[in-house]
């Protein structure tokens, strides 16, 4: 977030989610170079049929927001909802600080890995089976 000259990358203080503010992004791609996960992409083509909660645009950088607009409405991210709808439990989402939550129990029971744990960034995304 610190590399962006336009302050177009923000870290939500409550959730820690790193989000792009597309209306501020000028497409310099500094954030892409600085992202240790290589999880940002540049929009090269015009985007049609915009969704009001997640605007996108040619010339901007974007990344997964974990559907923060849904989280703000006490919903789960769309990928978690879609995964559950198919009967799978491959993606879980919840409060890691609540020891009674399904995600906290799973992490306590199963060995998980954080991508680029060597950077000691304290990310909250855990992977099983890596």
């Amino acid at each position: 977030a610190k590399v962006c000259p336009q302050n177009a990358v923000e870290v939500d203080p409550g959730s820690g989610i790193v989000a792009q503010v597309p209306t501020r992004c000028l497409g310099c791609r500094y954030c892409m170079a600085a992202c240790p996960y290589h999880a940002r992409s540049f929009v090269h083509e015009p985007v049609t049929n915009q969704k009001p909660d997640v605007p996108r645009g040619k010339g901007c950088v974007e990344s997964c927001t974990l559907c923060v607009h849904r989280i703000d409405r006490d919903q789960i991210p769309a990928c978690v909802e879609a995964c559950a709808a198919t009967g799978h439990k491959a993606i879980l989402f919840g409060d890691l600080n609540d020891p009674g939550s399904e995600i906290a129990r799973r992490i306590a029971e199963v060995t998980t890995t954080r991508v680029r744990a060597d950077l000691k960034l304290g990310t909250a995304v855990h992977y099983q089976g890596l």
Side-chain angles (χ1 to χ4, degrees):
K2 294 177 183 177
V3 301
C4 182
Q6 294 296 109
N7 294 318
V9 182
E10 294 181 341
V11 180
D12 181 71
S15 65
I17 294 172
V18 178
Q20 193 80 15
V21 182
T23 55
R24 291 188 209 150
C25 180
L26 52 80
C28 70
R29 306 180 208 183
Y30 288 160
C31 60
M32 289 177 68
C35 179
Y37 307 106
H38 305 291
R40 298 183 167 275
S41 57
F42 186 76
V43 181
H44 291 277
E45 301 293 328
V47 183
T48 57
N49 299 323
Q50 293 290 318
K51 295 182 180 179
D53 287 331
V54 274
R56 301 175 64 212
K58 180 180 178 179
C60 291
V61 175
E62 63 185 13
S63 66
C64 175
T65 64
L66 295 175
C67 291
V68 70
H69 60 284
R70 291 173 59 101
I71 295 168
D72 289 345
R73 293 189 296 240
D74 293 325
Q75 297 174 316
I76 58 175
C79 61
V80 179
E81 187 175 278
C83 184
T86 61
H88 302 286
K89 288 270 188 166
I91 306 173
L92 297 178
F93 183 85
D95 185 356
L96 290 173
N97 296 320
D98 175 7
S101 69
E102 185 179 2
I103 187 70
R105 287 193 315 270
R106 172 83 66 93
I107 288 174
E109 295 168 0
V110 178
T111 301
T112 62
T113 304
R114 294 181 188 188
V115 174
R116 294 301 315 262
D118 58 310
L119 297 175
K120 298 182 181 10
L121 296 174
T123 57
V125 178
H126 293 250
Y127 297 88
Q128 177 181 336
L130 284 185

